[in-house]
Amino acid sequence: FSYSAQAESVVYNFDVNDTNIGIVNGWAFDLEQPDKAISIHMYIDDVIQSALNTYIARNDVNAAFSSQGLLPGIPRGFNYAVSSQFHDGKTHNLKMYAIATPNKLIYNENFQIQGPPTLSFSATPSQIKLGEATTLQWSTTFAASCSGSGVNGTNGNISVQPTQSKTYTITCVGLNGSNINKTAYVGVIVVPPTLSLSATSNTINPGNSVTLHWSSTDSANCNGPSVGINSLSGSLSVQPTHDQTYTVTCLGLNGGTISQSVNVEVRNVI
C-alpha cells in the first residue's frame, strides 16, 4: 500500500509491503518543527514495537518543502521491518503514530505477512532391495508450489522404484517468494537371486507321477525349458518314463543367474 497525506501539521508519505517481507519505507515531518526530525512509533496489536526518529537523509523532501520552512540536512526518511514473530500468516494490526503536538495516528490497518516456507521431505523406507518401491512424502507450510522428483502440489506422497541408489530433491517456492529445498536418499541393495527346487520323490515306479516345487527370491524370471516352467515359484506334476533331470534357471534382478536341478529315477520293474 502507498500512503501520502497530511494530518494537521504532520506531512507524511510511506509504502507498506505487507505480503512479502513486511517493510515500511517512508518520510515524515512536522510543519510546526521543520528544523527537527520527527519520531515515529510503531504498534502491532496495540503493543509498541519500535520508537524511531526519521534518520534517513531525504534531500528531495527538504527541497520540495523548503518553502514551508524545511531546512536542508535534516533527515526525513525512515525504515521499519516488522519483526519475524509476526511473519506467521495470521492477521495483525499495525498502527503508526507521528509524535508531534498532539500525536497523530497516521496509519491503522490490518496486515498479513506470510512466513518463510518450511519443508519436510522423506523416503520410507530409505533402504530397499532392487525391485522394491519406496514412498516419497513431503509437507510444507507457507509454500505456493513445489517441484522436482515427480512431486505435484505442496503436500503429498508418491511411490518410486529406483533401480540404483538415488538422491531425490524437491524445491518449494514460498508465498513470500523465497525458496527452500530438501533431499531424501534412497539406498538400493543389489541382492543375488536365490532358488529352491525339490521333488516330492526322487524315485518312482513306471506310470507314477512326481511333483516338482520351486521358489525364487530377487529374480526377474525363472524358466525350466524341459517342463515349461515360467514363473518365479510354483509346482508342477510330471510323469517321467525314464530317469530324468529337471533344471530350473532364474535370472536375478542384479543380472546374475542361478540354477538348481533335481533327479527323478524311474525304477525298472520286472
Side-chain angles (χ1 to χ4, degrees):
F1 304 102
S2 180
Y3 294 86
S4 181
Q6 180 171 343
E8 299 182 19
S9 64
V10 176
V11 180
Y12 57 90
N13 176 281
F14 54 85
D15 294 315
V16 180
N17 182 342
D18 69 346
T19 57
N20 292 322
I21 54 178
I23 298 294
V24 181
N25 292 297
W27 53 262
F29 61 85
D30 185 355
L31 287 172
E32 294 183 358
Q33 302 180 78
D35 60 337
K36 295 181 180 179
I38 191 173
S39 181
I40 306 293
H41 288 193
M42 306 289 187
Y43 286 76
I44 296 181
D45 298 335
D46 294 320
V47 177
I48 190 167
Q49 302 295 321
S50 177
L52 55 88
N53 289 332
T54 52
Y55 64 95
I56 301 172
R58 290 296 301 265
N59 294 330
D60 57 329
V61 175
N62 286 326
F65 292 91
S66 61
S67 62
Q68 299 186 53
L70 266 66
L71 301 177
I74 306 298
R76 309 297 180 182
F78 65 91
N79 176 284
Y80 171 69
V82 175
S83 172
S84 61
Q85 66 179 301
F86 300 109
H87 294 210
D88 55 9
K90 299 178 181 179
T91 299
H92 299 280
N93 176 260
L94 171 63
K95 292 184 177 74
M96 292 194 295
Y97 290 90
I99 305 306
T101 307
N103 298 336
K104 308 296 189 304
L105 176 64
I106 60 175
Y107 183 81
N108 181 12
E109 295 288 346
N110 292 335
F111 69 92
Q112 280 187 344
I113 302 175
Q114 305 299 338
T118 66
L119 170 61
S120 174
F121 183 42
S122 63
T124 305
S126 59
Q127 184 168 280
I128 59 174
K129 292 194 296 184
L130 185 64
E132 294 180 339
T134 185
T135 299
L136 302 179
Q137 184 167 349
W138 69 99
S139 61
T140 68
T141 61
F142 302 122
S145 63
C146 296
S147 61
S149 299
V151 307
N152 182 24
T154 54
N155 299 277
N157 62 80
I158 57 172
S159 179
V160 293
Q161 192 174 17
T163 57
Q164 59 185 4
S165 296
K166 183 175 181 178
T167 297
Y168 293 88
T169 302
I170 68 173
T171 300
C172 297
V173 180
L175 295 171
N176 67 351
S178 62
N179 292 348
I180 186 172
N181 62 72
K182 289 287 182 72
T183 61
Y185 177 78
V186 179
V188 178
I189 303 172
V190 180
V191 180
T194 67
L195 174 61
S196 172
L197 174 65
S198 63
T200 52
S201 178
N202 293 102
T203 304
I204 60 173
N205 292 323
N208 289 349
S209 299
V210 64
T211 300
L212 305 177
H213 296 279
W214 74 98
S215 64
S216 178
T217 62
D218 302 301
S219 296
N221 60 73
C222 296
N223 62 79
S226 61
V227 287
I229 291 172
N230 60 7
S231 60
L232 301 182
S233 63
S235 60
L236 181 70
S237 179
V238 294
Q239 190 178 39
T241 59
H242 53 82
D243 294 351
Q244 181 74 47
T245 298
Y246 296 97
T247 300
V248 175
T249 300
C250 296
L251 173 65
L253 295 171
N254 67 345
T257 60
I258 186 172
S259 296
Q260 293 283 331
S261 298
V262 63
N263 296 317
V264 178
E265 178 184 349
V266 180
R267 296 186 183 94
N268 290 321
V269 179
I270 299 176

